[in-house]
Structure formats: structure tokens, C-alpha cells
Amino acid sequence: MQKLSSKPAKGTQDLLPQDMKLRNWVTKKIIEAYTSRGYTQIETPMLENLDNLTNSEGGENLRMIFKVLKRGEKLDWSKAQTENDLSDLGLRFDLTLPLSRFYANNMNELTKPFKAFQIGNVFRAERNQKGRYRQFVQCDIDTLGDSGIYAEIDLMLTVPKALYNIGFKDFVIKLNDRRILKDLVIDAGFAEEDFETVCITADKKDKIGEEGVVKELLEKGYAEETIKRFLENLTTPLEQLTTPYAEDLKLLTSIISKYYPIQFDATLVRGMGYYTGPIFEIETPKFGGAVAGGGRYDGLLNKFSKESIPAVGFSIGFERIIGILKDQNFVVPEERETYAILFAEDSFYEKALTIANEKIEQGNIASIYKIKSNRIGKEVANFKKSGYEVIVADEQ
Amino acid sequence: MQKLSSKPAKGTQDLLPQDMKLRNWVTKKIIEAYTSRGYTQIETPMLENLDNLTNSEGGENLRMIFKVLKRGEKLDWSKAQTENDLSDLGLRFDLTLPLSRFYANNMNELTKPFKAFQIGNVFRAERNQKGRYRQFVQCDIDTLGDSGIYAEIDLMLTVPKALYNIGFKDFVIKLNDRRILKDLVIDAGFAEEDFETVCITADKKDKIGEEGVVKELLEKGYAEETIKRFLENLTTPLEQLTTPYAEDLKLLTSIISKYYPIQFDATLVRGMGYYTGPIFEIETPKFGGAVAGGGRYDGLLNKFSKESIPAVGFSIGFERIIGILKDQNFVVPEERETYAILFAEDSFYEKALTIANEKIEQGNIASIYKIKSNRIGKEVANFKKSGYEVIVADEQ
């Protein structure tokens, strides 16, 4: 018989007990922080109607959708003109689009404002790359139906708390507002319709440096004077900004700075096109980059709902957090003793079971193993080496 | 702008906060029972290579696989001869096949025996039907690498405990052995190669009654005398069976009966073809049918591994449990108070925050809401009605 391959599908991973222990612990810390401030958990299906996915503002992600084949009579590939004739469902590539659909579908049963979080797998047909998976966990927290800055403040008290409880002490919240950024772009002399393209270049600053940004904007045909003024504008401190948008950020900063380090950064852009107001990231300088990010996206829900619903969200880079902790050889704090109750002779099984039950009732973990009587010494040593407390029932 | 449909994909469900509360509570109870006896959690990817899925012994499930379209250059539907030319991945339809692959892939890093559980979504393109979902949670617990009956005993101490802790007190474990069943079939006068087809009919007894079974076996061309003897054989009590397989079941029954009601039932068949030894189900008569089931499947891992690995598993019908609890209007026991801290005037926000932080530090849930000052009375009443403890910061 030909053996099947035992490898997981390309870009996916098998999670072993030690992986799950770490992931479960991190998840628990996140859920504790989120629920303590009244955010409630929801779940959306992993399969979405393909139309919803392809008509979203998913940007680059749209090219990485796993499409699911139509079934039975619906599938007729002899007449297929495009891929979409072959497929009607897709695997979700993020949690924001499903959340928008979820809210429109269930809004009559949900509280207003709706404070929700989702932790779940998303799927992207990424090119194979170390640390990049095709199935990975995202962890989103959102407030829907609240247009005021207090929604942002609430998120900014909640997400850093989760990171802090996980053990990330050395981080800073970076803050900007899409509308302020737009004002600074226009004030520099760019046309309003050039906002997006200017931002795409400005967003590369971390990679290509300020010189690189200047070079690229020159190549795009903009005047040197405009570019220079734009870069100067980006250094304006929050205090000197006079737009009403700056007032909200000042209030936010004055409150959050009592709890966590927070900095206004006019150079913060963030990729997604759907952001409409404040945007933010949490950076851990020691580990090079952002571990969480988000912003206000007041327009997105309009795709599903007649009403215009304000929305603001924050997302923790779950896999990035796990990666950093693994690189640090982080050890999950043990809450319970783990016992191996060994027995060699069948007549001692019930004795082993009684001992195990006692240990379990005391709140410990107790697992019974049958061993060979001539290997008792070796087995005791092996189990001890693996971190177990060991009891041999035959000897009790 | 044309609105997108806000409905979840056919056969999938949006899980609201109250749904997640129940599901999380049940999951927690299951995990507590499983981990207390030393089973550790693992996770396998939802996407599997299609070859693995289609070459498994998945029976009926093979016709319900969601297949995922090949991507980029690999997809050439003009030359496609079969569906499998269009697709190379599929969504898993159960957790047993992925577990077998997982064990073969990781066995060098896993304990022997390996006591593991998995809780995760599986996908089946079922016809639309109430209570049947196309994405649903399964909950499997397995011991790999242990051929002895103590592995079965361990599972049978663990799974009923989880059900008991969830609140199912009124259940019975039904027990049989595929090899005993085979002996009884052959002893009645059937040919060994007819075992499967006889079992398929016998398995329908719950639906069509004993008369229906006799009728169907007669239609299949078997002698009346053989059928009669077979039905008599199925009433043989465990004590009167003399095969070595019965000795194992006697030992198991003598131990488990001290903890949970357990009955030998020679008419128990269970569908899957891969079972090779003891098989079992947990039935809750009050709610009509099985809420968990499993058995020994020593051959299955051989598809992936050169070594022959003994295996035994148990699966809780997670969605069925949830369905029963919902029908009972089960209320999840609250562990924490939930506060709504309201404020109307901006100047009272920090006061509200201080109150919320105190409540959170005491282990409660506290969520801050801005309300209109002329609606304080109404809002207090609304939040109280929704089960919140309410504090108005402006009035403190």
C-alpha cells in the first residue's frame, strides 16, 4: 500500500501540546483583558460568500483568497469563463470583513454600541516564507456604533493591558489621524486626489528612509518644494496642530499617557484604505516593529447596511506575539502539578486509579500509565525527566 | 452602491455573544475534565492535502468535501478532466484523519502513549437541514500507541466526567466489540465477507425496528434461520461470552460501573468501517440518542506510518450538546458581576474610568458608556434590564 504524505498542507502547521499550551495561555490573557472592560466574544464562519470577499477593500489580500469549488450540478467547468464560475465560497482572509457582515446581519440583537472581539483563523495563499503561514490566527477587538473618541480611548486602555499581562512591558503606542495626515499632505501643496499615492510612498519610510521617500516622490513627478514642505509638516507636534481632529487626539493622549507611553506620530500611515479617522499602532522597539494596530473605519459597514455605522478596531498580531515569546524561550507559568501514576501489575490498576482520583480532586493533573515491571526504575527516571511527579502504585 | 448580502454563507452560522458564552463554558468544562487525566491539546490545520482526504476511510463524508481551487499557474480548467484537476486542497471533514497524519508527522516529538484531544471546526457540504451545519465543532479525544484495554478504561473515566460536569447526569455507556459482533454474525451462519452488509442493516434497528431488520436481511437473500439465530445471538449477555475479547470488556465494565452506568450491547454497531475492537457510545435517553461515541481503530494510522500504531478514540457531539442545552434554556453560571459605568458630561469621564478600574481590579467586568444627560433615568433602567449593575459617574 502506498503511504500518504504525513506533512501538513503547504504553509500550514501542526500545533503540538507545547505549542497549544503557549497559545492557550496567550489567548487566555487576551480574553481576560478584553472581557474585563465589557467586550464580548463573537465568531464568524470561516467560509464567506465569495462576492463579499472580492467586493471588500481587502487590497493585496484579494489576490490571496482560497476559493472553494462549487459542488454538484453548479460546477460546470466546460463553460467556465473566469475562476469565479468555478467557485462560490472563499476562506476569509481577515476578521474585519466578516465582522461588518455579522453586524449588519445581527444588529437588532446586539447592544449599541457593540463592543466585540474575535479570535480565529484566517487564510491567505501567501508565498512560502519562514514565519508566514497560510492559516493563522488573528485577534481583533472592535467597537461598532460609537463615533466618539471615547471608543478609541477604551480600546487603548484594553489592548495594551492584554500585552502587558502577557509580559510585554516595553512598548509605545503610536498615534495619528488619517484626516490630519490628509491636511498635512494638502497643506504641502499636493492635490487632494494624490493623497493615496503620497501615503503609499510615505508608508515606506521605515524601509527606504527619508531619502528614499524623497527620491520616490520626485520620481512620481512631484515638485521638490512640495516634498520638502510635506516632510516638514510631518514633524509638527500635536500641540501645534489646530484642526478639530487634533483636539480629540489631545484628549486621548492626556488620558492614556497616565497608563501607557503614547506618542503622536504624523508619519504613521497604516496600509488599509478604509481608515477614516484616528489610526494607531503598538510598537515594541526591542522586537522590531508593531505587535498591534488599528484605526477608525466609519465607511466600511456601509457595504452591508443601509445605515451608516461608525466603527473603530484594534488587532493584535497573535502569531507575532507567539513568535516573539518562542524566540525568548518563554515558559508558561504552571498552575498545577502533573503526576504520572505508574503501575506494572494489573492487580495494582485500581490502586493507581484511587491515587489518581485523589490527585485530581486536589486540582492536579494525574495520568495513569502501565509499565513493564522490569523497567520501573527506568520509567520513573524518564517521567521525572519529562517534568512529572511520579508515583508507582505497586509500591504504595 | 449595490449592497452585499449580510447573510452568512449557506449552512454556516454567526455566533453571537450569548452563543459564545455557552460554547466557551462547555468547552472549558470539557478541557478541565480532559486535562485533569493528562490528555494534552493539539491542533491540526483545517486545510489538508486533498489526496489525504480522498484516500481516507471517510465513507459518506468523502462526498461532502469542500475542495479548494488550485491557484495561479497550477489552475488550468481548459484541460481539467476531473474535479481533482481543479483542486489540490480540501477542508477537513473530521478530526480523526488529521490526527493520524499529525501523529505520523510528529511521533518522534510526542510521548508514548500519546494522550491527546482536539477541539475544532470541521466542514461538510451537507444538504441544508435544521441543526445541521456545514461548519461545525468536533471534540475528539484519543490515545495513540497503547494497545491495552486500560486505554479504553481511561477514556471511559474521562469523557463521561466532562458530560457530568456540563450537567448531563442521566446517561448510560453502551459497549460492544467489533470482533465479538463478527463472531456472532459468523456463528449465526453468515459468511465472513457478509459481515459489513449484515452490520449496515443491523445498525438501522433504532429506526426500522427488529421486524425491519429481519425484512431487509430477507430481501438481501439470507436464510430465515440464519437471521433468527443472529438476532438471538445479539441477546447473549456479556457473562456468557467466552471469547478473549469478552474478558477485556468484563474488566472494563467491572471498573467503570463503579463510576458510571455501563451496559454491554451486542447490537451496537457504529458506522465507521475503521473500527477494529471495542466500540462505545454514551446515550442520554431523555434527549433521544448518542451524545458521544468512539472505539478502537488500530489500522487507520498505517496509511501514514510504516509502524502499525494502535489507537482508540472518543468523540463528543459538541453541537448536539449545545443544542440540548439551548433547548433546555440553560443559563451559564455567572462568575463575575458585570457593571455598566455611565457618564453624561465629558468632565466625568475620568471619574467613570476610576470607578471602572476599581471594579475590574476586584475581578468584575466594567464597561464605560457615554449617555445623553437627559436620558440618564432611561439608560439606567435599560442597562439594569439587560442584567448590568449600573453606576452613574456624574452622580458619584
Side-chain angles (χ1 to χ4, degrees):
Chain A
M1 186 172 66
Q2 205 205 319
K3 297 294 172 202
L4 296 168
S5 164
S6 66
K7 296 279 164 234
K10 199 171 90 175
T12 69
Q13 51 182 339
D14 283 337
L15 297 170
L16 274 63
Q18 58 267 36
D19 298 317
M20 286 306 292
K21 199 173 182 178
L22 177 60
R23 295 169 82 91
N24 284 342
W25 184 83
V26 169
T27 305
K28 190 179 152 202
K29 291 288 160 188
I30 291 172
I31 291 180
E32 275 172 9
Y34 287 8
T35 53
S36 75
R37 290 207 182 267
Y39 294 85
T40 53
Q41 192 168 8
I42 63 157
E43 230 177 71
T44 54
M46 299 190 198
L47 289 166
E48 280 282 344
N49 288 313
L50 194 56
D51 278 349
N52 287 357
L53 297 174
T54 53
N55 284 299
S56 69
E57 297 186 38
E60 283 293 288
N61 297 331
L62 296 188
R63 295 195 292 118
M64 296 192 273
I65 298 175
F66 281 106
K67 298 177 181 177
V68 173
L69 213 56
K70 289 182 182 177
R71 290 150 303 285
E73 290 163 13
K74 286 188 189 163
L75 178 65
D76 182 357
W77 67 86
S78 62
K79 291 184 189 146
Q81 300 288 319
T82 71
E83 271 182 30
N84 290 11
D85 293 331
L86 299 172
S87 114
D88 51 2
L89 296 170
L91 291 170
R92 64 184 181 192
F93 55 78
D94 75 2
L95 299 177
T96 307
L97 186 273
L99 173 69
S100 303
R101 185 198 52 67
F102 175 99
Y103 189 75
N105 188 37
N106 301 290
M107 58 189 296
N108 292 335
E109 294 177 62
L110 302 173
T111 55
K112 291 187 205 338
F114 183 50
K115 297 170 68 175
F117 68 93
Q118 285 187 87
I119 301 173
N121 280 293
V122 301
F123 303 83
R124 293 180 194 170
E126 296 253 16
R127 284 190 181 278
N128 242 7
Q129 217 176 331
K130 192 188 166 294
R132 283 255 177 133
Y133 294 103
R134 293 179 150 202
Q135 173 185 326
F136 60 97
V137 168
Q138 281 198 337
C139 178
D140 280 19
I141 179 167
D142 296 84
T143 298
L144 306 182
D146 189 340
S147 58
I149 193 71
Y150 291 110
E152 276 88 340
I153 293 174
D154 206 43
L155 284 175
M156 232 160 281
L157 289 165
T158 307
V159 173
K161 177 70 173 169
L163 294 173
Y164 192 85
N165 289 350
I166 291 165
F168 288 76
K169 313 277 173 182
D170 181 23
F171 58 76
V172 59
I173 305 170
K174 294 282 182 79
L175 180 69
N176 197 8
D177 190 303
R178 268 287 166 92
R179 296 161 301 182
I180 291 176
L181 188 59
K182 196 166 191 175
D183 284 351
L184 297 178
V185 166
I186 292 166
D187 179 83
F190 292 103
E192 188 171 346
E193 60 266 32
D194 291 344
F195 174 57
E196 284 290 338
T197 183
V198 171
C199 282
I200 287 168
T201 301
D203 199 22
K204 297 183 189 165
K205 200 183 149 198
D206 286 348
K207 287 183 195 153
I208 62 178
E210 197 167 292
E211 282 170 45
V213 171
V214 173
K215 189 161 167 273
E216 191 169 309
L217 288 175
L218 283 169
E219 281 164 5
K220 283 186 176 175
Y222 298 111
E224 200 172 341
E225 190 55 31
T226 307
I227 298 167
K228 200 182 147 202
R229 176 143 186 195
F230 172 55
L231 292 174
E232 275 171 19
N233 278 356
L234 292 181
T235 64
T236 321
L238 182 60
E239 298 69 35
Q240 287 175 28
L241 291 170
T242 52
T243 78
Y245 314 129
E247 294 311 307
D248 271 356
L249 297 196
K250 285 174 195 169
L251 172 65
L252 185 151
T253 307
S254 77
I255 291 168
I256 299 300
S257 60
K258 292 174 190 164
Y259 298 88
Y260 304 105
I262 183 163
Q263 286 171 12
F264 173 74
D265 180 353
T267 72
L268 182 68
V269 178
R270 290 194 62 73
M272 304 305 284
Y274 52 61
Y275 289 124
T276 56
I279 49 178
F280 29 87
E281 271 180 14
I282 299 182
E283 291 187 7
T284 49
K286 220 168 39 176
F287 299 103
V291 291
R296 182 165 283 280
Y297 55 99
D298 284 350
L300 195 60
L301 273 76
N302 210 239
K303 285 197 186 298
F304 294 102
S305 161
K306 276 174 222 156
E307 286 179 59
S308 179
I309 313 280
V312 55
F314 217 151
S315 183
I316 285 189
F318 184 85
E319 304 288 350
R320 182 147 172 69
I321 300 277
I322 296 296
I324 292 171
L325 292 176
K326 281 176 91 163
D327 286 347
Q328 288 177 327
N329 295 313
F330 178 82
V331 177
V332 174
E334 293 290 348
E335 287 166 352
R336 302 191 280 182
E337 291 278 7
T338 301
Y339 287 88
I341 318 291
L342 312 182
F343 74 104
E345 298 298 331
D346 284 357
S347 57
F348 283 97
Y349 174 76
E350 294 213 47
K351 178 85 194 164
L353 182 53
T354 304
I355 298 168
N357 287 347
E358 278 169 15
K359 294 297 175 194
I360 289 169
E361 272 191 25
Q362 290 158 16
N364 303 298
I365 295 168
S367 187
I368 302 172
Y369 296 99
K370 178 163 181 164
I371 56 170
K372 295 204 171 102
S373 59
N374 62 350
R375 284 184 50 88
I376 293 182
K378 277 188 188 162
E379 293 284 6
V380 169
N382 282 342
F383 276 98
K384 280 193 175 160
K385 214 170 130 191
S386 304
Y388 289 89
E389 299 285 322
V390 184
I391 297 173
V392 181
D394 310 46
E395 294 170 354
Q396 291 292 301
Chain B
M1 185 172 64
Q2 205 206 320
K3 298 293 172 201
L4 295 168
S5 164
S6 65
K7 296 280 165 234
K10 199 172 88 176
T12 69
Q13 50 180 339
D14 284 337
L15 297 171
L16 273 65
Q18 58 269 36
D19 298 318
M20 288 305 292
K21 199 172 183 178
L22 177 60
R23 295 169 82 90
N24 285 342
W25 183 83
V26 170
T27 305
K28 191 179 152 204
K29 291 290 160 186
I30 291 172
I31 291 179
E32 276 171 8
Y34 288 7
T35 53
S36 74
R37 291 206 181 266
Y39 295 83
T40 54
Q41 193 168 8
I42 64 158
E43 230 178 71
T44 54
M46 296 187 202
L47 289 166
E48 280 282 344
N49 288 313
L50 193 56
D51 278 349
N52 288 356
L53 298 174
T54 53
N55 285 298
S56 69
E57 298 185 37
E60 283 292 287
N61 297 331
L62 297 187
R63 295 194 293 118
M64 296 191 272
I65 298 174
F66 281 106
K67 298 177 179 177
V68 173
L69 214 55
K70 288 182 180 177
R71 290 150 303 286
E73 291 163 12
K74 285 189 190 163
L75 177 66
D76 183 357
W77 68 85
S78 63
K79 291 182 189 146
Q81 300 288 319
T82 70
E83 271 182 32
N84 289 12
D85 293 332
L86 299 172
S87 108
D88 51 2
L89 295 171
L91 293 170
R92 64 184 181 192
F93 55 77
D94 75 4
L95 299 176
T96 307
L97 187 272
L99 173 69
S100 303
R101 186 199 52 66
F102 175 99
Y103 189 74
N105 188 39
N106 300 290
M107 58 189 295
N108 292 335
E109 294 177 61
L110 302 173
T111 54
K112 289 186 206 339
F114 183 51
K115 297 171 68 175
F117 68 93
Q118 284 187 87
I119 301 173
N121 280 293
V122 301
F123 303 82
R124 294 181 193 168
E126 296 252 17
R127 284 189 181 280
N128 241 7
Q129 217 177 330
K130 191 187 169 295
R132 283 255 175 132
Y133 293 103
R134 293 179 149 202
Q135 173 185 326
F136 61 97
V137 168
Q138 282 197 338
C139 178
D140 280 19
I141 178 166
D142 297 85
T143 297
L144 306 182
D146 190 341
S147 59
I149 192 72
Y150 291 111
E152 275 89 341
I153 293 174
D154 207 43
L155 284 174
M156 232 160 282
L157 289 165
T158 307
V159 173
K161 177 71 173 168
L163 294 174
Y164 192 85
N165 289 349
I166 290 164
F168 288 75
K169 313 278 173 181
D170 181 23
F171 58 76
V172 59
I173 306 171
K174 294 281 181 82
L175 180 69
N176 197 9
D177 190 304
R178 268 288 166 94
R179 296 162 299 183
I180 291 175
L181 189 58
K182 198 167 189 175
D183 285 351
L184 297 178
V185 166
I186 291 167
D187 178 83
F190 292 103
E192 188 171 347
E193 60 266 30
D194 290 345
F195 175 57
E196 285 291 338
T197 182
V198 171
C199 282
I200 287 168
T201 300
D203 199 22
K204 294 182 190 165
K205 198 183 150 197
D206 286 349
K207 287 183 197 153
I208 62 178
E210 198 169 289
E211 282 171 45
V213 170
V214 172
K215 190 161 166 273
E216 192 170 308
L217 287 176
L218 283 170
E219 282 164 5
K220 282 185 177 176
Y222 298 110
E224 200 173 342
E225 189 56 31
T226 307
I227 298 167
K228 199 182 148 203
R229 176 143 187 197
F230 171 55
L231 292 174
E232 273 171 21
N233 277 354
L234 291 182
T235 65
T236 320
L238 182 58
E239 296 70 35
Q240 287 175 27
L241 292 170
T242 53
T243 77
Y245 312 130
E247 293 312 306
D248 271 356
L249 297 197
K250 286 174 194 169
L251 172 64
L252 186 149
T253 306
S254 78
I255 291 167
I256 298 301
S257 61
K258 292 175 190 162
Y259 298 87
Y260 304 105
I262 183 163
Q263 286 171 11
F264 172 73
D265 181 353
T267 71
L268 183 68
V269 178
R270 288 195 65 72
M272 305 304 285
Y274 52 61
Y275 289 123
T276 57
I279 49 177
F280 30 86
E281 272 182 11
I282 299 182
E283 291 186 8
T284 50
K286 220 168 41 177
F287 299 105
V291 291
R296 182 164 283 281
Y297 54 99
D298 284 350
L300 195 61
L301 274 77
N302 209 240
K303 286 196 185 300
F304 294 102
S305 161
K306 276 174 221 157
E307 287 179 61
S308 179
I309 313 279
V312 55
F314 217 151
S315 182
I316 285 189
F318 184 85
E319 303 288 351
R320 182 146 173 70
I321 300 277
I322 296 296
I324 293 171
L325 293 175
K326 282 175 91 162
D327 286 346
Q328 288 178 326
N329 295 314
F330 178 83
V331 178
V332 174
E334 292 290 348
E335 287 166 353
R336 303 191 280 183
E337 291 276 6
T338 301
Y339 287 87
I341 319 290
L342 312 183
F343 74 103
E345 297 299 330
D346 284 357
S347 57
F348 282 97
Y349 175 75
E350 295 215 45
K351 179 85 193 162
L353 182 52
T354 305
I355 297 167
N357 288 347
E358 279 168 13
K359 294 297 176 194
I360 289 169
E361 273 190 25
Q362 290 159 16
N364 303 298
I365 295 168
S367 186
I368 302 172
Y369 296 98
K370 178 162 179 164
I371 55 171
K372 295 204 171 103
S373 58
N374 62 350
R375 285 184 48 89
I376 293 181
K378 276 187 188 162
E379 293 284 6
V380 170
N382 282 342
F383 276 98
K384 281 193 175 163
K385 213 171 131 190
S386 304
Y388 289 89
E389 298 285 321
V390 183
I391 297 173
V392 182
D394 309 46
E395 294 170 354
Q396 292 291 302

